[in-house]
Amino acid sequence: MPDSPLMSAAAVALITLAIAAVVGVGIKVLRSFRDLGTDAERATYTTLHAASRAGQHLRAGLSPVGAAKASKQLRDLLACDALAITDTATVLAWDGGHEELRPLLMKLATAVLATGRATVLPAGKVDMLGSGGTAVAPPLVIAPIRAGSRVVGVVAVANTTAGVGLVRATGEVADWVATQVELAELDASRILLMEAEVRALRAQISPHFIYNSLNAIASFITTDPERARELVVEFADFTRYSFRRHGDFTTLAEELRCIDRYLLLERARFGDRVQVHLQIAPEVLSTVIPFLSLQPLVENAVRHGLEAKEGAGHISITARDDGAYAEVRIEDDGVGIDPEHLASVLAGHSDGDHVGLRNVDVRLRQVYGDDHGLVIETAPGEGTLMILRVPKSQPGNAV
């Protein structure tokens, strides 16, 4: 059955609207690009945009996947026939033509990798690695990728012509890639440092707490065997959490469970001398925080605040929702800390007491920035208040 004139008119109207929408979007994009102003401003934008996109792919360092994605952006940036990125052993990526030269590149780059000096190979025939054949190679610019004092790879550019401008631009691109590699190595070093800090905390927990806990458990074996068994279970759960090998992060709820076990074991030793008050907002329990960032603060309150105090001591643990942050306060009415000594501890100039505070402060600053370290208010004989504020939006960390 043929379409009615009304249906045909409606179809034409819909198609017309669709075309107008597409044209409108195109005009909007073109106008936004023209809004950049002069040709020089547009060229600057194009260059920075390509570098930004390539940088995203090199954030993990030199890898085949990242180099393959970045090489396309960098070839467009240099407007060359082909661009390759290598490490010291193999060609990681090749974008563009002249693929027949890919198996030869590591041999051609030997001198650059050894000396760290860029080279320009003129056009000519090259031996196909003993196969008996030859290939006609275009001019080839090879520039080293230096990370510190090491040459970690090269950027190679093949083009019909290789003038001074292309040679310099290739060197700049290689230096830029080197910067991305160094940033990736710094990020890896930061992660290793955090892991080392956690291992240091575990080493601190081991000798002091384990010895005292086992002594407390032993004291109940003959007088109250049932309680001794319960304490053994709590001790096992605490050590399993504290010495786990996976994850640099945990949730506030898990850290509080760890603290509960810790305080249960300490109360077995101190009895009613340790009084604890908790006020926890349920909405912050799922907040992700660095692993073992609260337990050392509570241990500091018990070990250095209340243990040296005569009579009963009180610890208050408060966690509340503060807009974009979860705020945790740990306060004790113990003997306090001399502010000058505390400043020395946090600066890393004092060994021994309160090293857990320094450890937690450093890790908070590593993860969230210098504005998110521990806030500590204390004075001799006045107790200690420790405040930790953690952003709810996490920096890409998984539990």
Side-chain angles (χ1 to χ4, degrees):
M1 180 177 178
D3 294 337
S4 67
L6 182 60
M7 291 177 63
S8 298
V12 170
L14 287 172
I15 293 172
T16 302
L17 287 172
I19 293 173
V22 172
V23 172
V25 170
I27 292 173
K28 184 176 180 181
V29 171
L30 183 60
R31 283 176 178 170
S32 66
F33 187 68
R34 286 176 176 171
D35 286 342
L36 290 170
T38 66
D39 290 343
E41 289 172 337
R42 288 194 287 273
T44 300
Y45 167 80
T46 300
T47 300
L48 293 175
H49 183 64
S52 174
R53 292 184 62 186
Q56 295 173 6
H57 303 310
L58 295 173
R59 289 183 64 180
L62 288 179
S63 68
V65 173
K69 293 179 179 179
S71 61
K72 178 173 177 55
Q73 305 297 329
L74 297 178
R75 185 169 76 87
D76 291 343
L77 190 63
L78 294 176
C80 56
D81 296 341
L83 182 142
I85 300 174
T86 82
D87 57 17
T88 57
T90 186
V91 178
L92 300 174
W94 185 289
D95 190 78
H98 307 293
E99 277 277 356
E100 69 278 5
L101 298 177
R102 181 169 183 161
L104 309 175
L105 181 56
M106 295 310 298
K107 179 181 178 182
L108 298 174
T110 300
V112 177
L113 289 169
T115 65
R117 292 193 293 269
T119 188
V120 180
L121 302 178
K125 293 183 178 180
V126 293
D127 178 39
M128 296 297 289
L129 293 180
S131 65
T134 60
V136 178
L140 196 64
V141 183
I142 306 176
I145 301 172
R146 298 186 191 88
S149 60
R150 298 171 294 123
V151 177
V152 297
V154 303
V155 171
V157 168
N159 201 48
T160 305
T161 59
V164 174
L166 182 62
V167 174
R168 289 179 175 174
T170 303
E172 292 297 326
V173 166
D175 289 344
W176 178 86
V177 172
T179 300
Q180 309 310 306
V181 172
E182 289 177 331
L183 289 173
E185 290 179 350
L186 282 174
D187 192 53
S189 297
R190 179 184 63 84
I191 293 172
L192 290 174
L193 178 60
M194 288 180 61
E195 292 175 351
E197 296 285 359
V198 172
R199 286 195 296 271
L201 267 183
R202 287 168 174 158
Q204 179 195 0
I205 290 171
S206 295
H208 179 82
F209 176 73
I210 291 178
Y211 176 79
N212 289 331
S213 295
L214 291 177
N215 271 344
I217 293 170
S219 69
F220 288 103
I221 290 177
T222 56
T223 59
D224 192 344
E226 183 60 31
R227 187 170 186 199
R229 282 193 291 270
E230 292 174 357
L231 290 174
V232 167
V233 172
E234 297 295 341
F235 177 77
D237 288 341
F238 173 84
T239 53
R240 185 181 299 112
Y241 174 82
S242 300
F243 296 99
R244 72 179 191 178
R245 293 185 178 273
H246 67 282
D248 296 320
F249 295 84
T250 187
T251 62
L252 183 59
E254 289 182 345
E255 193 81 355
L256 288 172
R257 278 194 287 270
C258 171
I259 290 171
D260 182 61
R261 296 185 182 107
Y262 167 78
L263 289 172
L264 184 67
L265 290 163
E266 289 289 46
R267 282 195 293 267
R269 186 161 66 101
F270 289 108
D272 293 336
R273 285 187 57 201
V274 177
Q275 303 290 327
V276 181
H277 173 74
L278 290 94
Q279 187 175 353
I280 311 297
E283 58 268 27
V284 301
L285 288 174
S286 60
T287 301
V288 175
I289 62 175
F291 177 63
L292 284 182
S293 57
L294 295 184
Q295 189 277 334
L297 306 184
V298 176
E299 181 172 357
N300 183 85
V302 173
R303 183 179 173 187
H304 301 296
L306 304 185
E307 190 169 349
K309 178 184 177 179
E310 293 184 4
H314 301 81
I315 297 175
S316 172
I317 303 173
T318 305
R320 68 183 186 93
D321 191 328
D322 187 22
Y325 297 88
E327 182 181 275
V328 181
R329 290 172 170 250
I330 298 173
E331 186 172 10
D332 67 74
D333 60 357
V335 298
I337 311 170
D338 177 71
E340 290 186 4
H341 178 61
L342 176 62
S344 178
V345 168
L346 294 178
H349 300 151
S350 178
D351 297 328
D353 290 348
H354 309 293
V355 293
L357 300 186
R358 156 78 177 169
N359 189 299
V360 172
D361 181 64
V362 167
R363 289 192 293 132
L364 289 174
R365 294 177 190 275
Q366 287 171 347
V367 175
Y368 304 113
D370 283 337
D371 293 336
H372 293 90
L374 280 179
V375 176
I376 304 176
E377 299 176 6
T378 187
E382 300 296 330
T384 303
L385 169 64
M386 294 168 282
I387 304 172
L388 176 150
R389 298 182 80 241
V390 178
K392 292 179 182 176
S393 57
Q394 296 300 309
N397 299 316
V399 178

